[in-house]
Amino acid sequence: MTVWCLGSVNADHVYRLPHLPAPGETLAAAQYARGLGGKGANMAVAAARAGARVELVGAIGPDGGWMKQRLAGYGVSVTHLAEGGMPSGHAVIYVDAAGENQIVIFGGANRALEAGQATTALANAVPGDTFVCQNETNLQREAAEIAKGKGLRVVYAAAPFDVAAVRDMLGAADMLVLNAVEAAQLEAATGTAPEALPVADIIVTRGAEGVRWIDTKAGQSRDFPATPVTAVDTTGAGDTFTGYLLATLDGGMAMAEAIDLAGKAAALKVTRQGAADAIPARDEVVGWRL
């Protein structure tokens, strides 16, 4: 089967700081690096490194050739990664000594996808494939409707959080993935607890507290503990989890086992600096011992 990922591709400009800047504060960076990022690229790379066949649907600008090459090198199909005239998306990322981060995103080409792009890309999708999107591109609902009509499992990662975007996607999604802060924001905005949302499976990532899986059809929830690690860089941890989760489900693994493996992959990722470039391969995750 195939994981179809509609998502962003960004150049990550990462600055290592002694602490995250306060308003009006100027800090000297101890280190700078440019890497591959964007929630779409991160999820696609994670799914590919977990063993799935992955098609990335997105766009880069004239400055994005190196990102396309790097994605292909990680095993992601870039057949449907368009190249246009707008600058590629990029992110400015501050990472402190404890591995926490602040991120500012410029959408660029990610926000200029053309309406026919999703239709063309998904023409080869088949029932049983998986479709995932998030909030760093346009065309989320349009592409989700196409995917749903072709019998794909539709997964929506509700980040960066935007309540209007989430409301628009709830009717199309079979699975909703969000973190604890996003879940609280959604409940505050809608007055609806996650357990009552019209989505079959809801996955709430809770950082050091682990993961909660809510099976709304069965009316049950289950908590999974986090793997204890010392974080170096939390950038892309949630995307790593999502990509691994979808790849392993696509491969036939049961939800509980898929969550366990995805959580372990995310934990290993945060011990490394970087986003897509730091996502571990499946054999690394399986063989990892604390």
Side-chain angles (χ1 to χ4, degrees):
M1 308 307 291
T2 302
V3 175
W4 300 82
C5 179
L6 172 71
S8 55
V9 181
N10 288 338
D12 282 352
H13 300 280
V14 183
Y15 299 85
R16 304 279 163 184
L17 303 175
H19 59 267
L20 299 179
E25 182 179 15
T26 299
L27 289 174
Q31 185 180 345
Y32 164 77
R34 185 187 74 169
L36 175 64
K39 299 191 74 63
N42 294 344
M43 291 178 192
V45 169
R49 303 216 81 190
R53 179 177 183 270
V54 182
E55 294 280 352
L56 177 59
V57 184
I60 55 174
D63 54 338
W66 67 273
M67 294 188 285
K68 187 173 184 177
Q69 292 176 358
R70 196 167 295 184
L71 283 161
Y74 290 139
V76 176
S77 171
V78 293
T79 301
H80 304 292
L81 185 62
E83 299 181 51
M86 289 191 67
S88 299
H90 69 258
V92 175
I93 303 172
Y94 300 146
V95 182
D96 70 10
E100 293 299 327
N101 62 53
Q102 289 180 348
I103 304 174
V104 177
I105 298 170
F106 170 71
N110 295 314
R111 295 286 184 180
L113 304 184
E114 297 182 358
Q117 190 173 346
T119 303
T120 301
L122 291 168
N124 295 320
V126 299
D129 283 354
T130 299
F131 169 84
V132 61
C133 64
Q134 32 65 42
N135 289 336
E136 289 183 350
T137 71
N138 57 321
L139 298 184
Q140 293 100 324
R141 179 63 190 237
E142 296 92 329
E145 291 287 0
I146 295 168
K148 200 169 188 69
K150 293 179 71 69
L152 278 66
R153 182 207 307 254
V154 174
V155 181
Y156 174 52
F161 184 79
D162 179 277
V163 67
V166 177
R167 281 187 171 125
D168 191 43
M169 284 294 298
L170 285 178
D174 300 303
M175 181 187 298
L176 175 64
V177 183
L178 68 174
N179 64 33
V181 172
E182 293 156 352
Q185 290 174 322
L186 181 59
E187 183 170 356
T190 63
T192 303
E195 293 82 357
L197 292 171
V199 180
D201 292 295
I202 299 171
I203 309 295
V204 182
T205 59
R206 304 188 297 161
E209 296 181 11
V211 176
R212 176 167 294 165
W213 167 34
I214 302 169
D215 180 346
T216 63
K217 288 185 177 180
Q220 298 176 344
S221 65
R222 178 175 172 182
D223 291 338
F224 298 78
T227 302
V229 294
T230 299
V232 171
D233 185 352
T234 59
T235 308
D239 302 332
T240 299
F241 174 88
T242 302
Y244 258 80
L245 177 67
L246 301 188
T248 48
L249 290 174
D250 181 76
M253 188 176 284
M255 179 69 83
E257 288 74 20
I259 290 174
D260 279 334
L261 186 65
K264 191 176 180 182
L268 180 53
K269 190 267 142 229
V270 303
T271 66
R272 304 172 172 182
Q273 295 182 0
D277 301 308
I279 294 172
R282 186 166 181 160
D283 59 350
E284 295 179 277
V285 178
V286 171
W288 182 43
R289 297 290 183 270
L290 290 174

